Amino acid sequence: LLSLDTDGSGDVSRLEFLRAFDASLPKEREPFDATIEQFLRAAKVCNRGKRESAAAAAAQEAADASSRASQTEAAEAAAAMDRLYRAQRLGEVFSVFDLDHGGSITEDELFELGSERRRLGQASGPWTREMNRRLMKKLDTDSTGAVSKSEFCDYFAESLPKEREPFDDSMEQFLRAAKACGRRKKEAAE
């Protein structure tokens, strides 16, 4: 408690927790992602069935923290929460995009997903192999021929809208396309 309680109030505020959490996380992408995944799994177990009340409590905590903290501190806390939220959502999407559950997204999987987005009307025009290769080159920063979770999350964290609602809309579109691809793959196997 003493190392987290930086203002000496006897309580650990949301902002103090976020700063300590942010400072203690690994800086390398893979260990960071693994740590966040562990926290997210633990949080899901603890909060199963309580999302709405937890969201209301978090909103109240954020409001309380905002009233105690300066605007700069509140902005820092909001930015940290937004980064965690975006990482969680992108990680969920990556897991569904990984159609063969191999731990990465291959060029063929990416092509299936791009084509499915067109079939669903989420994007216009044809999805060509050349377009797919160009996107793959942007995503696959280590040139392994497959897109890792960290590469996927890094790219889309920067390229998707920063505002919550358009970001969430993109996530839902991605999930619908990936689930449709999964159903097609399952039907083809039967």
Side-chain angles (χ1 to χ4, degrees):
L1 181 64
L2 294 177
S3 64
L4 296 176
D5 182 20
T6 57
D7 66 0
S9 68
D11 292 318
V12 177
S13 71
R14 182 177 192 84
L15 183 59
E16 289 170 318
F17 175 78
L18 289 173
R19 283 184 176 158
F21 188 74
D22 189 46
S24 67
L25 287 174
K27 302 302 179 213
E28 299 80 29
R29 191 52 151 169
E30 293 294 330
F32 175 86
D33 286 348
T35 303
I36 293 299
E37 284 297 321
Q38 288 174 346
F39 278 114
L40 293 174
R41 280 194 299 274
K44 284 180 182 178
V45 169
C46 293
N47 292 317
R48 197 170 290 142
K50 298 180 183 178
R51 274 193 176 170
E52 288 183 44
S53 61
Q60 183 59 49
E61 279 186 48
D64 292 345
S66 293
S67 69
R68 290 189 309 262
S70 71
Q71 288 185 348
T72 301
E73 291 171 329
E76 288 174 8
M81 292 298 289
D82 189 58
R83 283 191 306 275
L84 288 173
Y85 175 81
R86 289 171 72 88
Q88 176 190 14
R89 290 300 310 270
L90 287 164
E92 291 170 12
V93 168
F94 176 86
S95 296
V96 179
F97 265 34
D98 182 10
L99 298 174
D100 65 2
H101 308 291
S104 63
I105 299 171
T106 65
E107 191 167 334
D108 287 340
E109 287 172 319
L110 189 63
F111 185 76
E112 285 181 59
L113 293 159
S115 298
E116 189 63 37
R117 290 196 68 217
R118 270 45 180 194
R119 279 191 285 277
L120 294 173
Q122 296 174 358
S124 59
W127 183 248
T128 66
R129 288 283 179 186
E130 182 54 35
M131 293 166 71
N132 197 66
R133 272 190 282 282
R134 284 195 306 263
L135 179 57
M136 188 73 179
K137 188 174 182 173
K138 290 177 187 176
L139 290 167
D140 183 19
T141 57
D142 63 2
S143 302
T144 61
V147 179
S148 69
K149 184 176 184 177
S150 62
E151 289 171 324
F152 179 88
C153 291
D154 288 348
Y155 178 82
F156 285 109
E158 290 303 313
S159 66
L160 289 175
K162 303 301 180 214
E163 299 79 23
R164 178 72 60 100
E165 190 173 329
F167 174 80
D168 283 341
D169 289 344
S170 295
M171 294 295 91
E172 292 308 313
Q173 286 181 3
F174 283 0
L175 287 170
R176 280 195 298 276
K179 288 175 182 175
C181 283
R183 282 191 299 275
R184 282 182 192 277
K185 202 169 204 160
K186 186 177 179 181
E187 290 168 2
E190 293 173 351

